[in-house]
């Protein structure tokens, strides 16, 4: 685990399929670690992978597709994992081309590409550009200050030293101040006129006084109207009750008069019916001699009609019995014909089951042969498609490397292949040839499998023949099953027919006989001759029987008529006793209506007066509310003005503080860089100055040196970068204690290289972990640990090999390329 907070620890870095690193794992310890190897071996790629783990694709060269190692099988996943300590927390980040995960103290805190990058950027307190320009110095990046404009140099230093936060805070103060000024202006413009508010309140109070007087007068008028209505209402109620009683009595009188007329008509009707009944009795006595044979003939006719019905039923039942006999003979014949159907059905069902089992076995064999043919065909098609895709990918890689040539930059390892160019092309050509041979084989195999095998067709023909035999056997079994069911139904129908025949024979034995049709016709003829006399006698009998009941009914009707006439006289006397007059009733109604109308007008006037009073009270309250609201706004405006003055003072304070910090920044950086310069040049140069444009100037005897060599320029830029890094660590509160330097010895002689290493060792209290990347072998004598990186073109199509070379050359590999 990498410690970037000052405490010694062991960083762990793992990369898989990242550029030319197939599988490399490193552990960095405290002190100065030298990563040494020839150009193009993959040294810088180690630090590039660390930067990619922290900041994603923005921190690497090229696009994300160029990160994957050339020659890997299929679409092998690219992955870099980094464990380190920052401040009080331990982090573990793992990143691939499409995923990322960040653990803090063992807990997952982010799990997407953007979320992991944002979280680490906040934890480090730097963007990737600021990180690369301070703690992480890549090849040819020492002159970062010289490449910037004079305004950008000051902004860059202010940003990395944390002074930019003061500018952001000042901008926020100014935003709040401007917002407060606009709010105060808007609030003051919206304030109402106090004199207008006072006038509105006085007018509302005057309206309230007038409304109170009007409401009191309306209440008095309503009380007077209620008193008048209270005097008239009992009189009106008495006349209303008298009128209702008079109308009720007169209605009863009219109904009683109608009842008298009805009773009189009923009495007259009964008297007439009694005279008619007595006359009918006399006429009936005169017809008794002619009616004597009728009763005897009617009795004989009833007996003959009963015998006629018995004869008809006997004939119908005999016909049914004959039909049942014919049906029974037919059923017995059919049952005899179907006597052997049971045994035949058992044999047919057994044969059908045997054939069904053979069909099922044949279908299983066909399906198995077809499934094997389809599987082999699909496998051949899938393998041929994979080979075509693989051929396109390898062909594209081979064409690109061939086009770039030996001196071109390899798209995977980002270095010239040189003498390895032909070997790499040979490996790719052999891969293409192997893919082509495999593709031909699977194409021929697909042609062979285009049609089903002959064995499948033979099995299908056998299966179809067995299906036809099974169908015929099933049909025969169905026919026999239907015949068995028919025989069972015939036996049931035969039993039912025999049972019905027995019942019919019993009913025939009980039927009466002796019907005489001629006598039946003679009796009917005699009764037809006597029918008019019988009808006349029946009518006279009915009228004569009414005589005895009509006498008491007539007496009762006479009594009811007398009672109804007496009731009419009583009701007429009661109507006259009420003394009701329509004229006096109308006068009482007019007096009551006027009193009621006056009360309703008074109540409406009172409601209007109370509404005016409520509105006037609301106007007074609204006027008071608006005055209070204006006072509250005055207080709010005063408070905002106070805050506005405070933010003005804060703005001036921030401006003064930033000016002081920027004025002190250049001398402090120059002093630190001067100390480093004296150490690196053995006192040859003692001082460096930063101009107002932040340009680096070496002073020789206190005088700016107008012309310096390329090596001296590199030394000046190096000490400036070291001074900036140390100042960030001391002043900006950054927790980082890591310093990475890549190929900074290019123009330095051996003595100055040793001075650089010695200086970095003296800075161990600020940067306990220093990583030096170089191709210069002499540097290894001054570092604490040596990690050797070489490129092996013969291993897995070309890969970087990393090993710990601190103690003895040839030690065991620290990372193994997969």
């Amino acid at each position: 685990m990498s410690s970037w907070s000052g405490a010694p620890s062991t960083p762990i870095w793992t990369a898989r399929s990242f550029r030319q690193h197939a599988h490399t794992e490193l552990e960095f310890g405290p002190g100065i670690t030298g990563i040494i190897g020839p150009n193009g071996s993959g040294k810088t790629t180690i630090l590039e992978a660390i930067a990619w783990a922290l900041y994603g694709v923005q921190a690497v060269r090229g696009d994300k597709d160029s990160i994957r190692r050339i020659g890997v099988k299929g679409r092998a996943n690219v992955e870099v994992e980094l464990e380190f300590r920052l401040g009080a927390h331990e982090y573990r980040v793992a990143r691939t081309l499409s995923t990322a995960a960040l653990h803090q103290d063992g807990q997952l805190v982010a799990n997407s590409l953007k979320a992991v990058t944002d979280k680490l950027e906040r934890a480090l307190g730097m963007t990737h550009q600021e990180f690369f320009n301070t703690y992480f110095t890549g090849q040819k990046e020492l002159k970062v200050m010289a490449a910037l404009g004079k305004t950008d140099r000051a902004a860059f230093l202010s940003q990395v030293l944390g002074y930019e936060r003061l500018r952001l805070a000042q901008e926020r103060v100014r935003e709040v101040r401007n917002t407060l000024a606009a709010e105060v202006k808007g609030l003051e413009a919206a304030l109402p006129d106090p004199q207008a508010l006072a006038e509105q309140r006085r007018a509302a109070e005057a309206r309230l006084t007038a409304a109170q007087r009007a409401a009191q007068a309306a209440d008095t008028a309503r009380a007077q109207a209620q008193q008048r209505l209270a005097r008239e209402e009992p009189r009106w109620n008495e006349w209303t009750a008298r009128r209702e009683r008079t109308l009720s009595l007169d209605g009863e009188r009219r109904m009683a008069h109608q009842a008298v007329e009805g009773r009189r008509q009923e009495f007259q009707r009964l008297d007439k019916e009694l005279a008619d009944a007595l006359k009918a009795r006399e006429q009936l006595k005169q017809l008794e001699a002619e009616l004597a044979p009728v009763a005897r003939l009617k009795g004989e006719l009833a007996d003959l009609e009963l015998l006629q019905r018995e004869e008809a039923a006997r004939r119908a039942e005999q016909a049914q019995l004959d039909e049942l006999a014919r049906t029974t003979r037919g059923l017995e014949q059919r049952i005899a014909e179907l006597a052997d159907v049971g045994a035949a059905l058992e044999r047919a069902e057994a044969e059908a089951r045997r054939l069904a089992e053979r069909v099922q076995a044949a279908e299983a064999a066909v399906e198995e042969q077809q499934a094997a043919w389809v599987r082999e065909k699909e496998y051949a098609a899938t393998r041929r498609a994979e080979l075509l895709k693989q051929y396109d990918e390898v062909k594209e890689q081979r064409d690109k490397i061939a086009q770039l040539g030996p001196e071109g930059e390899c798209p995977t390892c980002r270095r010239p292949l040189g003498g390895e160019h032909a070997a790499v092309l040979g490996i790719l050509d052999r891969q293409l040839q192997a893919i082509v041979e495999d593709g031909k084989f699977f194409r021929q195999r697909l042609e062979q499998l285009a049609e089903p095998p002959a064995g499948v067709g033979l099995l299908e023909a056998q299966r179809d023949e067995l299906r036809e035999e099974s169908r015929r056997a099933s049909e025969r079994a169905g026919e026999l099953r239907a015949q068995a069911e028919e025989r069972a139904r015939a036996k049931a129908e035969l039993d039912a027919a025999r049972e019905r025949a027995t019942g019919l024979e019993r009913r025939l034995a009980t039927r009466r006989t002796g019907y005489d049709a001629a006598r039946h016709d003679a009796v009917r003829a005699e009764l037809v001759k006597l029918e008019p006399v019988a009808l006349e006698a029946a009518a006279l009998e009915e009228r004569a029987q009414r005589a005895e009941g009509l006498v008491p009914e007539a007496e009762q009707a006479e009594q009811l008529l007398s009672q109804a006439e007496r009731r009419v006289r009583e009701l007429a006397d009661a109507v006259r006793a009420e003394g009701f007059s329509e004229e006096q009733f109308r006068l009482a109604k007019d007096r009551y209506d006027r009193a009621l109308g006056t009360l309703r007008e008074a109540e409406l006037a009172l409601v209007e007066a109370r509404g005016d009073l409520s509105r006037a009270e609301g106007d007074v309250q609204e006027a008071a509310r608006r005055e209070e609201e204006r006072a509250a706004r005055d207080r709010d405006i005063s408070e905002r003005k106070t805050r506005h003055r405070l933010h003005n003072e804060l703005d001036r304070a921030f401006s003064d503080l930033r000016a002081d910090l920027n004025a002190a920044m250049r001398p402090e950086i120059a002093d630190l860089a001067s100390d480093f310069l004296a150490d690196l040049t053995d006192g040859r140069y003692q001082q460096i100055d930063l101009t107002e444009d932040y340009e680096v100037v070496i002073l020789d005897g206190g005088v700016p040196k107008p012309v310096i060599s390329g090596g001296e320029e590199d030394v000046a830029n190096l000490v400036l970068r070291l001074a900036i890094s140390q100042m960030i660590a001391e002043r900006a509160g950054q927790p980082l204690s890591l310093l990475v330097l890549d190929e900074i010895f290019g123009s330095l002689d051996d003595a100055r290289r040793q001075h650089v290493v010695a200086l970095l060792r003296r800075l161990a209290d600020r940067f306990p972990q220093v990583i030096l990347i170089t191709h210069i072998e002499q540097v290894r004598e001054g570092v604490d640990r040596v990690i050797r990186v070489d490129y092996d073109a013969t291993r897995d199509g070309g890969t970087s090999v990393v090993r710990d070379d601190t103690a003895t050359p040839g030690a065991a590999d620290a990372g193994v390329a997969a």
Side-chain angles (χ1 to χ4, degrees):
M1 182 175 295
S2 175
S3 172
W4 290 353
S5 59
S9 60
T10 302
I12 299 176
W13 170 83
T14 304
R16 297 178 181 86
S17 299
F18 189 91
R19 298 207 190 277
Q20 63 264 51
H21 287 270
H23 185 181
T24 303
E25 182 173 339
L26 289 177
E27 296 182 8
F28 295 101
I32 301 175
T33 299
I35 301 178
I36 302 174
N39 291 333
S41 61
K43 306 185 301 300
T44 302
T45 303
I46 295 175
L47 300 186
E48 188 178 17
I50 294 176
W52 183 63
L54 295 174
Y55 289 103
V57 71
Q58 60 183 333
V60 297
R61 300 163 293 171
D63 55 23
K64 68 176 184 179
D65 292 331
S66 66
I67 296 175
R68 181 180 285 107
R69 193 170 73 90
I70 292 180
V72 295
K73 296 180 179 179
R75 306 292 290 178
N77 193 27
V78 178
E79 182 178 10
V80 173
E81 183 174 325
L82 177 66
E83 298 183 22
F84 61 92
R85 182 189 301 277
L86 186 62
H89 300 290
E90 295 181 354
Y91 294 89
R92 178 168 60 86
V93 57
R95 188 184 294 269
T96 69
L97 292 177
S98 58
T99 63
L102 175 64
H103 290 77
Q104 177 180 315
D105 300 325
Q107 298 294 324
L108 180 66
V109 295
N111 60 353
S112 70
L113 295 174
K114 187 176 185 306
V116 168
T117 301
D118 293 344
K119 178 70 175 177
L120 286 173
E121 188 171 303
R122 289 194 299 271
L124 294 171
M126 291 185 177
T127 65
H128 84 283
Q129 193 64 38
E130 294 164 357
F131 184 71
F132 270 74
N133 289 332
T134 53
Y135 296 100
F136 203 111
T137 303
Q139 295 183 26
K140 303 176 183 179
E141 294 177 354
L142 283 173
K143 299 179 181 180
V144 63
M145 288 286 288
L148 298 175
K150 60 182 181 179
T151 303
D152 295 334
R153 295 168 191 159
F156 168 73
L157 290 174
S158 178
Q159 178 73 22
V160 298
L161 289 173
Y163 298 166
E164 187 67 13
R165 292 192 290 271
L166 295 176
R167 182 186 64 79
L168 297 176
Q170 186 176 15
E171 289 179 357
R172 177 57 182 160
V173 167
R174 289 176 177 174
E175 289 176 4
V176 175
R177 179 194 63 188
N178 295 336
T179 301
L180 288 171
E183 290 175 351
V184 168
K185 185 177 180 181
L187 290 173
E188 288 178 342
L191 281 177
D193 184 9
Q195 295 181 356
L197 290 178
E199 182 61 29
Q200 292 174 3
R201 180 173 56 79
R202 288 192 294 271
E205 291 175 348
R207 290 195 299 272
L208 177 61
T209 302
Q212 289 173 342
R213 289 196 297 268
Q216 186 176 3
D219 192 55
T220 301
R222 185 188 64 168
Q224 293 173 354
Q226 286 176 338
Q227 293 174 1
R228 182 180 176 185
L229 181 63
R231 291 193 301 269
E232 292 297 332
E233 190 170 13
R235 301 171 186 172
W236 165 246
N237 290 337
E238 174 61 27
W239 275 105
T240 302
R242 183 181 297 178
R243 182 174 184 272
E244 291 177 354
R245 289 196 300 271
T246 300
L247 292 175
S248 177
L249 290 171
D250 189 59
E252 290 182 14
R253 182 187 62 78
R254 288 195 298 271
M255 292 176 63
H257 183 72
Q258 292 176 359
V260 167
E261 293 299 325
R263 297 299 180 188
R264 183 178 290 112
Q265 293 174 3
E266 177 67 13
F267 175 72
Q268 293 173 355
R269 181 186 66 78
L270 291 173
D271 185 62
K272 184 179 178 181
E273 286 184 2
L274 179 59
D276 184 67
L278 294 175
K279 182 180 177 180
R281 183 180 294 177
E282 292 298 326
Q283 292 175 350
L284 184 61
K285 289 180 180 179
Q286 296 174 5
L287 294 175
E288 287 180 356
E290 296 179 29
L291 294 173
V294 172
R296 177 182 58 76
L297 291 172
K298 284 184 177 182
E300 186 178 359
L301 179 62
D303 187 56
L304 287 170
E305 288 178 349
L306 177 61
L307 289 174
Q308 183 187 27
R309 289 193 296 274
E310 286 287 316
E311 179 64 20
R314 187 184 65 77
R315 290 178 180 176
E317 288 172 351
Q318 183 61 48
Q320 293 178 11
L321 188 61
D322 295 342
E323 179 64 27
L324 284 174
R326 289 192 296 273
T327 301
T328 300
R329 288 192 297 273
L331 290 173
E332 290 174 346
Q333 181 180 358
R334 184 57 179 165
I335 290 172
E337 292 173 355
L338 298 175
D340 298 332
V341 72
L345 175 61
E346 291 180 358
R347 291 191 299 273
E349 287 180 341
E351 179 64 16
R353 285 194 298 271
R354 183 182 65 79
L355 287 173
E357 291 173 356
R358 292 183 62 191
V359 168
Q360 185 176 4
E363 288 179 345
V366 170
E367 290 177 358
E368 182 178 357
Q369 290 292 328
Q370 287 179 338
W373 168 58
V374 170
R375 283 196 302 273
E376 191 170 357
K377 186 176 179 181
E378 289 178 350
Y379 172 74
T382 302
R383 285 292 298 135
R384 187 168 185 271
E386 292 175 351
L387 289 169
L388 288 173
K389 183 177 179 181
Q390 186 178 359
Y391 179 85
D392 292 340
E393 293 177 353
V394 176
K395 184 69 166 57
E396 181 182 359
Q397 293 179 0
R398 195 265 180 206
D399 292 345
K400 191 171 184 180
I401 293 174
Q403 183 180 1
L404 292 173
E407 301 304 323
E409 186 182 73
C410 176
T412 301
C413 61
R414 299 297 179 183
R415 66 180 182 83
L417 293 176
E420 301 168 2
H421 182 265
V424 171
L425 289 179
I427 292 172
L428 295 175
D429 287 338
R430 288 191 295 275
Q431 291 181 358
L432 289 173
Q433 184 61 32
I435 293 171
V436 169
E437 294 298 328
D438 291 345
K440 290 179 179 179
F441 168 76
F442 283 107
R443 184 185 63 189
Q444 294 172 358
R445 186 58 180 157
L446 281 173
E447 293 173 354
Q448 295 171 359
L449 295 173
E451 297 294 335
V456 173
L458 179 60
L459 289 174
E460 289 178 344
Q462 294 175 355
R463 178 200 61 190
D464 295 340
E465 183 178 353
L466 287 172
R467 282 178 177 175
E468 180 62 24
E469 293 181 11
S470 176
R471 184 189 63 77
R472 290 195 297 269
S474 298
E475 289 179 354
R476 176 58 181 164
E479 293 174 356
L480 292 173
R481 194 176 297 109
Q483 292 178 2
E485 293 174 356
E486 180 186 358
R487 186 173 184 273
R489 287 195 301 273
K491 291 179 67 177
E493 291 175 1
L494 178 61
D495 293 340
R498 288 172 176 171
E499 184 177 355
R500 288 180 59 195
T502 302
L504 287 172
E505 289 173 352
R506 285 196 297 268
R507 285 198 297 274
L508 281 172
T510 60
R511 294 292 181 189
R512 290 177 59 186
T513 58
Y515 171 69
D516 186 351
R519 178 59 185 164
H520 192 185
D521 293 338
V523 170
R524 279 200 296 264
E526 291 179 13
L527 285 173
V528 169
K529 292 179 182 179
L530 294 173
E531 185 175 0
V533 178
L535 292 175
E536 183 181 1
L540 292 173
E541 177 68 22
E542 184 179 358
R543 288 162 56 192
Q545 290 177 355
R546 288 277 294 161
E548 296 179 358
L550 288 173
V551 174
E553 288 183 10
E555 293 175 353
Q556 184 179 7
E558 186 178 9
Q559 294 176 0
L560 292 175
L561 176 60
S562 300
Q563 293 174 1
E565 291 175 343
R566 186 169 56 254
R567 178 60 178 164
V568 168
R569 292 191 296 272
E570 291 175 353
L571 289 172
D573 294 339
V575 169
R576 287 191 296 272
E578 287 291 335
F580 176 76
S581 170
E582 285 290 343
E583 180 65 24
Q584 292 178 353
F585 177 79
R586 283 194 297 272
L587 292 174
K589 185 176 186 303
D590 290 341
R591 291 193 299 272
Y592 176 76
D593 289 344
R594 285 195 298 271
L596 183 61
T598 303
L599 176 60
R600 289 176 177 173
E601 292 176 356
E603 288 177 343
L604 288 174
L606 179 59
V607 169
E608 292 178 357
R610 286 178 176 175
D612 293 340
L613 177 60
S614 177
R615 287 190 292 274
E617 291 174 345
D619 291 343
V620 171
Q621 293 174 357
E622 177 63 18
R625 185 194 65 77
R626 294 184 65 185
E627 289 181 339
E628 175 60 29
E629 181 179 344
R630 189 188 190 287
R633 288 185 180 180
D634 281 336
R635 293 191 296 272
D636 188 24
I637 291 172
S638 177
E639 179 184 352
R640 293 175 188 271
K641 286 181 177 179
T642 301
R643 292 176 59 196
H644 183 263
R645 289 194 296 272
L646 290 175
H647 280 78
N648 273 333
E649 294 176 3
L650 275 175
D651 184 26
R652 288 193 295 271
F654 273 122
S655 296
D656 295 341
L657 178 59
R658 290 179 63 195
D660 293 341
L661 290 174
N662 288 330
M665 179 169 58
R666 287 191 299 108
E668 290 181 7
I669 294 176
D671 290 343
L672 286 173
S674 297
D675 292 340
F676 295 154
L677 179 64
D679 289 337
L680 291 181
T681 60
D682 286 333
R684 170 68 180 83
Y685 300 111
Q686 298 287 334
Q687 190 176 3
I688 275 184
D689 186 26
L690 283 178
T691 67
E692 292 183 357
D693 294 338
Y694 290 89
E695 293 180 351
V696 180
V697 177
I698 296 179
L699 301 180
D700 188 2
V703 178
K705 189 175 181 182
V707 179
I708 59 176
S709 66
E712 290 172 337
E713 183 181 3
D714 288 345
V715 170
N717 287 322
L718 174 60
V719 298
L720 180 60
R721 289 293 294 271
L722 293 176
I724 292 173
S725 298
Q726 180 164 342
M727 191 171 179
I728 291 172
E730 292 177 349
R731 304 294 176 83
Q734 297 288 352
L736 295 176
S737 59
L738 172 71
L739 193 61
V740 179
L741 303 172
D742 184 8
E743 294 291 1
I744 63 170
F745 300 124
S747 61
L748 300 182
D749 56 25
D750 184 62
R752 285 184 176 172
R753 288 197 294 266
Q754 297 302 322
H755 286 320
V756 169
V757 175
L759 175 59
L760 294 175
R761 193 173 298 281
R762 287 197 298 273
L763 293 176
D765 58 336
R766 294 304 309 147
F767 301 105
Q769 289 181 331
V770 179
I771 299 176
L772 285 175
I773 299 176
T774 181
H775 65 282
I776 301 173
E777 294 288 342
Q778 290 82 354
V779 177
R780 64 185 298 143
E781 301 301 331
V783 299
D784 298 311
R785 186 184 180 203
V786 176
I787 295 177
R788 181 73 186 182
V789 181
D790 293 297
Y791 184 78
D792 188 349
T794 63
R795 186 173 181 179
D796 294 335
T799 182
S800 294
V801 179
V802 181
R803 66 177 183 273
D804 189 341
D805 202 28
T806 302
T808 350
D813 287 355
V816 178

